[in-house]
Amino acid sequence: MKSGVAQTEYVASPLDCVGDHPAINFINTLRMSGSELTDTWQSDEDVAAWIVREGFRDTLPSTKWPAGVLLRKARNLREIARKAVEARKAKKNIPLGELNGFLEPSVSHCVLSTKSRTDLRFERVYRQKTVEQYLAPVAESVAELLSHGDFDLVRRCEGGQCVLWFYDRTKAHRRRWCSPQFCGNRAKVAAFRARART
Ligand SMILES: [Zn+2]
């Protein structure tokens, strides 16, 4: 399919989906790599490919926007989402105007399609003329999290330097780490060393 944004090679990270909610995975695209805060998006292509991978859209954008606009606006929406999640978690006022600025341009309708006589699909189709419209499903996911999410279960990883968030869907609701292999393991090693010193 001809597209305005080309697909790039992406090396998947186990941290891509630890948020366990699409809006949290969105925030988590900015993460620590060693002691450096690292953006997994460096280009329009990175953003568009992430949107498709995360299932927000089936296709890359078919419209050509000026270079860098998709990256800039996606990063802008991500910061708005991060601030809103932090404010919601801290029971502070959420600046809704900025998020609504991404929700208002959304134009969508539902269609019913069929693969066979017994296999019907009912799905929402979004217009994607502008960058804001292309990002609309992401903004809606953030709004859905803020309005319907259980914020006792939305938590930040307890890893000292870690900036990742997650939605705790475990049965006991005692999840503490972005990933047991990363921060969970680091904490275990630190506790072991502390014990060994005493
Ligand atoms: Zn972590």
Side-chain angles (χ1 to χ4, degrees):
M1 169 184 178
K2 197 175 176 302
S3 166
V5 177
Q7 179 90 53
T8 47
E9 275 298 307
Y10 174 77
V11 183
S13 158
L15 296 177
D16 290 343
C17 48
V18 294
D20 243 340
H21 187 290
I24 302 182
N25 290 340
F26 171 52
I27 293 171
N28 287 349
T29 53
L30 192 65
R31 63 183 72 141
M32 299 304 286
S33 173
S35 57
E36 297 270 313
L37 191 60
T38 308
D39 196 337
T40 58
W41 298 338
Q42 295 300 325
S43 64
D44 295 336
E45 289 78 4
D46 290 345
V47 175
W50 178 85
I51 283 172
V52 172
R53 262 199 323 278
E54 193 64 38
F56 284 114
R57 290 197 173 276
D58 292 338
T59 57
L60 297 170
S62 49
T63 317
K64 262 197 182 290
W65 300 302
V69 173
L70 179 59
L71 177 64
R72 185 164 50 76
K73 293 211 171 164
R75 281 175 168 171
N76 179 217
L77 176 59
R78 187 176 59 188
E79 277 321 291
I80 292 167
R82 176 191 316 285
K83 278 187 206 152
V85 165
E86 285 172 355
R88 175 78 173 76
K89 182 69 186 170
K91 300 189 172 83
K92 290 183 178 165
N93 279 339
I94 302 169
L96 297 179
E98 288 182 306
L99 186 56
N100 280 332
F102 277 89
L103 292 168
E104 280 157 12
S106 175
V107 179
S108 68
H109 64 272
C110 289
V111 289
L112 196 57
S113 59
T114 177
K115 275 187 189 164
S116 70
R117 286 180 182 172
T118 54
D119 188 1
L120 285 131
R121 282 179 70 183
F122 184 56
E123 58 183 345
R124 185 164 289 278
V125 179
Y126 288 85
R127 190 184 286 179
Q128 47 173 300
K129 266 195 154 162
T130 66
V131 171
E132 284 83 357
Q133 285 175 348
Y134 189 72
L135 291 170
V138 184
E140 287 177 11
S141 173
V142 175
E144 183 275 327
L145 173 70
L146 294 168
S147 56
H148 290 107
D150 178 348
F151 268 69
D152 285 335
L153 304 181
V154 175
R155 293 196 291 273
R156 193 170 161 164
C157 172
E158 290 182 25
Q161 290 230 304
C162 192
V163 296
L164 298 180
W165 287 77
F166 57 81
Y167 201 114
D168 183 358
R169 298 184 194 275
T170 62
K171 241 187 184 165
H173 298 320
R174 289 200 196 117
R175 184 173 166 189
R176 298 174 63 193
W177 316 109
C178 57
S179 153
Q181 283 82 38
F182 288 84
C183 292
N185 193 45
R186 262 200 290 273
K188 227 193 268 174
V189 171
F192 176 78
R193 284 197 186 133
R195 271 200 306 275
R197 272 198 299 271
T198 54

